[in-house]
Amino acid sequence: MSRALFARTFCCALFCLATLLVGGVACGAGAGEGGGDHNLPSRLAGPYGKLSPDPDTEIHEPIVLEDPQGELAYYGPSALFNADGSYTVYFTAEGELEGAHIRRAEGVDLAHDPSDVAVVLEAEETWEATRVAQPSVITPGILGAPLGLFFEAGDGNIGYVESADGLVFSRIGEGPLLEPEPDPSGPEGGAGLREPSAVWSGHRVLLYYSAGSPRSIFVASVTPVGDDSVAVSRLDADEVSPGRDPVLSPSGVVDSFDEVGLGAPFVSISNEVGREVFDLWYVGLDAGGDRTVGFAGSHDGLGFGRLDQNPVLPRGSPPEGDPCVVGHSTTAVMFYTQGAGDARSIGAARYP
Amino acid sequence: MTSSLGLRGPLLAAGVVLVPALLLALLGGETDARANPMDAFGLSSRAISMGGAYTALANDVSANYYNPAGIVARGDLSLDIGYQIAVPVLKLNGRNVGVDHTRGLTAGIVAPGKVGPVRFSFGVAMFLPDERISRVRAMPRVQPRFVYYDNRTQRIYLSTNLAVQVVPGLYVGAGVTFMSRTEGDLELSGRISFPDPEAESDMRLDLDVDLKALRYPQAGILWEPLRWLSLGLVFRDEFVLEMVQGFRITGDVVGEGGGGTILRDGFFGLTSLSTNLYQPRQVAFGIAVTPIPRLIFSMDVVWAQWSRFINPGSRLEIDLDLGSFNDLVDMESQPPPPHPRFRDTWTSRLGVEWLAYRSTRAVIAVRGGYAFEPSPAPEQTQSSMNLIDNSKHHISVGLGFSLSRLIPQMDRPMDIDLHFAYVHQQRRIHRKEDPADPVGDYVATGYVISAGLTMKLRFR
């Protein structure tokens, strides 16, 4: 083989290989789908889409929890994610005759009816009257039990109980954890405290609740004292301004979804870069009386800013409330109350 | 050529290469993000295994990228063919975001010539991805993306150059690099029924996509003043690959069941303009010394003008003509994407080659390299911007086999070079100013592994 012949042969081989590769490319052989957009960071703020009706499931999407007899209103969910992929949901069951109590549903999986529903807390104390409602669970409890549960009781008190098994709860202290301010001219307006949401922040629990008129969201700090009691102190969201301020007030913006009132906070904390970031889902009330869910965030748990893309559940009937979000890295499920009055039940929505 | 400095000269020069390189590596601040596949991963195994410090060493086919002047330095007819693959594992908050790997064929040729006393060479080098020649991709403006890799390495690369020998030891070269650019238009025209568009609509779809070439110049000087010393200087110009995607609907809106024409010749147009790829203007200076016969040190310092980087986020232009219904439509115009505030960068590269074994039939070279690329991107604190980039530490190793008389007809050795490179992405934290930012804080980490081989044939 001469040198020139070898060079020509080599060039021909190169050309053939290149042709094959170009042909492969033209046919799309071996090409991936185009990555770089998997597992992207997200606050899981929304928007959320309600579960779509599916004839193959046992539930009536988007409703995941409802009274089989249709006699009780189910509302105010607080959910925990289980290792088997299902959820344990604590919620309020309320009827005309029996008042409001708290139940636990096991095995909620967004496709089947719960495997078990049990009553876990009923009104017993005078300050609870006939009503314990709006549970908010934390793990672990403030005094060391595996589970703690805050709840709304009576005429606007907030109570706290702990449990070793999630079924039997023991009350902490004699009276309510937090009562309405005695001074009606105070920042909470002497009104009842509603819809508690608790979250661990360092060595304390931050307890968010709605109060005041117009209704706004306030926060208090709860810390253990000894082995069997807790101390609560209300926090001022803005220490610069006089008086104690809520962490979030109605926007006052005409036609906004939260123009005239806020409530039902749900707070979670993430910490990706060494600082806590607070995620707050809440219910906004517009001037027409409609309510839906929005999102706000904070770097200190006190001063919150609203998401530009609010609300995170589409506005419209039926009204939604009491959000509770369970995040899974880059996806999330929101449990919420759908409907009003006795027709309330618990629905679910997904992100994204 | 002989050295007038004796042995001290090469050793001093080696120090001149090593000390600044180490200082730059140690003191380099934040910066990086480059563009085409060659910028990101390099070209040819020998150059990559020497950390990309090749501006003053390039005298083969890879000189088409590293220093166009180098293609005339040898005076051989050279053919290169190789294959290289780079696999990024880039993570946000500890989770792999799945940036595509880049793999493909590298090939090139250098053809020497002579006009009177003037020696010249013509060279071509290409990278042909075996997954896709080019990719069109537009992402939401706020979506986090690794700007250095992302879509940028998913394209064909072709560089052509011409170099001349000015005097023995001094070479100049220049050329043009071609990149692919994609434009696409989608047009729907016809009749749309109202209120149920499924009922009596009659629409025609036209799709028009062009793959266009885009060019940018480069030029270089290679000077070999002493037998043990060579210097190189290269300029690569800035270029921007813009992606234009158009979507247009034209037609009449008619009522169902012969309800008459509601709107005649209505028009809705949406054009998305985004920067699909940006390469900064670059100036690279390189120095290579051979302090002892079997050892080569090389160093590059590269300045890149990243301060002119353009935000790749889409800019939408909307055009609408609904006749008498125009007053009913109020579409807010989208503000332009924010300025990315990138900074110019200085990258330092260091390479070494040791001829570990040498006989009449074979030479085996062991190579290593290190480079530090600071990131030009600032911390991503703005709510509407997530252009992620990390400073990079490149560590590379390689082997070279030069085989003589493998084929009797070949009067030059055949070279086979292998490389393996690891690019460590320096951990970087991004904290958002807006407490309600929907993306939130994140940590960017990761690495890129690349490997490849190059076969070189040379003919007298």
Side-chain angles (χ1 to χ4, degrees):
Chain A
M1 184 189 285
S2 71
R3 194 171 63 212
L5 181 59
F6 179 81
R8 282 200 294 272
T9 305
F10 181 81
C11 288
C12 286
L14 181 67
F15 177 77
C16 292
L17 182 58
T19 304
L20 283 173
L21 286 167
V22 170
V25 171
C27 297
E33 293 179 357
D37 55 3
H38 309 312
N39 301 318
L40 295 179
S42 170
R43 295 278 286 279
L44 310 175
Y48 283 79
K50 294 180 182 178
L51 300 185
S52 302
D54 184 348
D56 296 330
T57 63
E58 292 177 2
I59 59 174
H60 305 108
E61 293 90 350
I63 303 303
V64 294
L65 274 174
E66 56 189 336
D67 180 27
Q69 282 73 47
E71 296 169 354
L72 300 176
Y74 281 9
Y75 64 93
S78 180
L80 298 171
F81 185 62
N82 301 318
D84 65 0
S86 68
Y87 301 87
T88 296
V89 181
Y90 291 83
F91 61 97
T92 313
E94 185 170 2
E96 254 182 58
L97 300 177
E98 49 195 297
H101 59 272
I102 294 173
R103 294 186 178 189
R104 184 186 80 163
E106 279 288 304
V108 177
D109 64 0
L110 313 186
H112 301 90
D113 290 326
S115 56
D116 181 54
V117 177
V119 176
V120 295
L121 193 69
E122 293 180 287
E124 294 176 359
E125 304 291 330
T126 311
W127 55 272
E128 292 171 351
T130 59
R131 183 167 193 274
V132 291
Q134 299 285 1
S136 172
V137 292
I138 56 170
T139 53
I142 299 173
L143 297 178
L147 194 76
L149 188 149
F150 293 83
F151 59 96
E152 177 190 319
D155 192 18
N157 300 302
I158 291 176
Y160 177 65
V161 293
E162 288 197 349
S163 172
D165 59 5
L167 276 172
V168 179
F169 285 87
S170 305
R171 285 172 169 74
I172 306 298
E174 296 290 319
L177 183 75
L178 204 60
E179 301 174 272
E181 282 182 324
D183 180 7
S185 64
E188 295 175 5
L193 315 181
R194 307 287 181 200
E195 302 143 347
S197 173
V199 63
W200 276 104
S201 172
H203 298 294
R204 64 180 181 175
V205 167
L206 290 178
L207 175 65
Y208 295 83
Y209 55 94
S210 68
S213 180
R215 291 205 75 82
S216 303
I217 296 171
F218 292 84
V219 65
S221 167
V222 187
T223 51
V225 178
D227 293 334
D228 55 2
S229 64
V230 296
V232 185
S233 71
R234 288 176 159 94
L235 302 180
D236 182 5
D238 184 0
E239 294 181 347
V240 177
S241 68
R244 192 164 60 83
D245 295 293
V247 299
L248 199 66
S249 301
S251 70
V253 176
V254 175
D255 289 338
S256 65
F257 82 102
D258 57 355
E259 180 183 353
V260 300
L262 307 179
F266 173 79
V267 179
S268 68
I269 293 178
S270 58
N271 186 339
E272 299 288 358
V273 301
R275 71 168 177 181
E276 290 185 329
V277 175
F278 293 74
D279 302 326
L280 166 65
W281 288 266
Y282 63 97
V283 172
L285 185 69
D286 68 17
D290 287 333
R291 53 191 165 90
T292 191
V293 177
F295 176 86
S298 171
H299 290 144
D300 59 7
L302 298 174
F304 280 83
R306 288 174 167 82
L307 182 73
D308 289 339
Q309 296 80 14
N310 270 336
V312 297
L313 272 181
R315 294 171 79 172
S317 57
E320 297 107 1
D322 307 328
C324 170
V325 173
V326 182
H328 308 284
S329 307
T330 57
T331 64
V333 171
M334 176 189 285
F335 295 93
Y336 64 95
T337 301
Q338 179 161 307
D342 292 341
R344 282 175 287 180
S345 46
I346 294 170
R350 290 183 195 274
Y351 169 84
Chain B
M1 271 187 282
T2 56
S3 165
S4 59
L5 296 174
L7 188 59
R8 281 178 59 200
L11 292 175
L12 274 174
V16 166
V17 172
L18 288 171
V19 173
L22 289 172
L23 283 175
L24 277 167
L26 290 171
L27 300 177
E30 290 189 343
T31 79
D32 169 353
R34 246 189 284 180
N36 66 54
M38 302 303 95
D39 277 352
F41 307 119
L43 176 66
S44 96
S45 287
R46 185 183 183 220
I48 296 170
S49 60
M50 295 183 74
Y54 215 58
T55 302
L57 278 180
N59 60 5
D60 50 19
V61 169
S62 67
N64 282 290
Y65 169 71
Y66 288 102
N67 188 348
I71 60 175
V72 73
R74 266 188 177 162
D76 294 335
L77 170 66
S78 302
L79 291 167
D80 277 22
I81 186 165
Y83 192 85
Q84 57 191 60
I85 180 168
V87 181
V89 179
L90 303 175
K91 300 177 180 179
L92 294 177
N93 292 339
R95 292 184 288 270
N96 189 350
V97 300
V99 170
D100 291 309
H101 55 245
T102 301
R103 66 185 197 208
L105 178 80
T106 59
I109 185 169
V110 169
K114 200 167 184 182
V115 177
V118 178
R119 275 179 52 209
F120 70 91
S121 282
F122 173 74
V124 180
M126 69 180 297
F127 172 71
L128 181 65
D130 64 6
E131 289 189 307
R132 50 179 73 85
I133 290 176
S134 183
R135 181 169 68 188
V136 177
R137 195 172 186 217
M139 292 192 289
R141 190 183 288 184
V142 300
Q143 179 171 314
R145 68 191 76 184
F146 281 88
V147 289
Y148 192 89
Y149 301 101
D150 192 24
N151 200 36
R152 294 173 149 60
T153 58
Q154 304 296 323
R155 61 196 64 251
I156 195 170
Y157 169 93
L158 178 68
S159 182
T160 60
N161 294 282
L162 184 66
V164 296
Q165 175 184 274
V166 180
V167 294
L170 179 62
Y171 317 100
V172 295
V176 175
T177 292
F178 297 83
M179 302 283 286
S180 57
R181 166 184 172 175
T182 318
E183 288 184 4
D185 277 311
L186 188 151
E187 186 161 341
L188 270 172
S189 57
R191 190 179 62 188
I192 306 167
S193 73
F194 181 84
D196 180 8
E198 301 287 332
E200 297 173 24
S201 294
D202 180 16
M203 303 294 289
R204 193 182 74 226
L205 172 68
D206 290 309
L207 185 63
D208 181 13
V209 178
D210 281 343
L211 188 66
K212 294 186 174 180
L214 194 123
R215 295 164 288 275
Y216 69 90
Q218 72 254 343
I221 301 171
L222 181 64
W223 183 33
E224 298 170 337
L226 301 167
R227 184 176 48 82
W228 50 268
L229 175 68
S230 63
L231 305 165
L233 185 66
V234 171
F235 168 80
R236 283 186 280 269
D237 202 7
E238 168 192 86
F239 85 112
V240 179
L241 269 180
E242 289 217 314
M243 187 171 73
V244 181
Q245 287 179 301
F247 177 73
R248 286 169 188 77
I249 301 175
T250 56
D252 300 335
V253 179
V254 297
E256 285 181 42
T261 301
I262 299 170
L263 171 66
R264 188 174 298 282
D265 296 330
F267 173 78
F268 173 80
L270 186 150
T271 304
S272 165
L273 303 161
S274 59
T275 305
N276 206 23
L277 176 109
Y278 173 85
Q279 174 174 290
R281 185 170 290 123
Q282 297 169 52
V283 177
F285 171 73
I287 180 169
V289 296
T290 309
I292 55 176
R294 297 169 76 158
L295 190 64
I296 299 173
F297 288 113
S298 62
M299 187 195 83
D300 273 18
V301 177
V302 184
W303 171 79
Q305 195 179 21
W306 277 105
S307 55
R308 288 167 54 85
F309 178 71
I310 300 165
N311 191 322
S314 296
R315 299 172 293 285
L316 291 180
E317 293 177 357
I318 295 174
D319 195 8
L320 188 73
D321 182 6
L322 298 179
S324 56
F325 300 101
N326 281 341
D327 293 341
L328 302 175
V329 180
D330 180 21
M331 300 183 80
E332 290 183 14
S333 61
Q334 188 191 37
H339 191 284
R341 296 184 288 122
F342 275 36
R343 299 178 294 263
D344 295 345
T345 63
W346 290 90
T347 296
S348 52
R349 298 178 176 277
L350 182 66
V352 60
E353 181 181 72
W354 175 51
L355 302 185
Y357 173 80
R358 189 161 57 183
S359 73
T360 55
R361 298 294 299 266
V363 176
I364 299 176
V366 180
R367 300 172 184 130
Y370 170 78
F372 177 71
E373 288 190 68
S375 171
E379 182 182 344
Q380 300 297 294
T381 58
Q382 292 187 57
S383 187
S384 55
M385 204 163 66
N386 291 290
L387 307 175
I388 304 163
D389 187 51
N390 301 37
S391 295
K392 301 171 186 66
H393 297 271
H394 297 248
I395 300 166
S396 52
V397 293
L399 286 174
F401 303 92
S402 188
L403 308 172
S404 300
R405 286 177 266 164
L406 192 66
I407 300 170
Q409 286 77 12
M410 289 182 65
D411 52 11
R412 287 277 197 269
M414 182 175 77
D415 297 338
I416 298 174
D417 297 320
L418 309 168
H419 80 267
F420 175 84
Y422 171 81
V423 183
H424 175 73
Q425 309 277 322
Q426 199 165 292
R427 183 177 188 269
R428 193 161 191 201
I429 290 173
H430 300 271
R431 294 182 178 89
K432 292 296 181 182
E433 290 170 353
D434 179 2
D437 183 279
V439 173
D441 300 339
Y442 49 86
V443 184
T445 55
Y447 58 88
V448 180
I449 291 173
S450 68
L453 86 168
T454 308
M455 185 176 72
K456 301 176 181 178
L457 297 173
R458 299 198 301 273
F459 306 92
R460 202 183 293 276

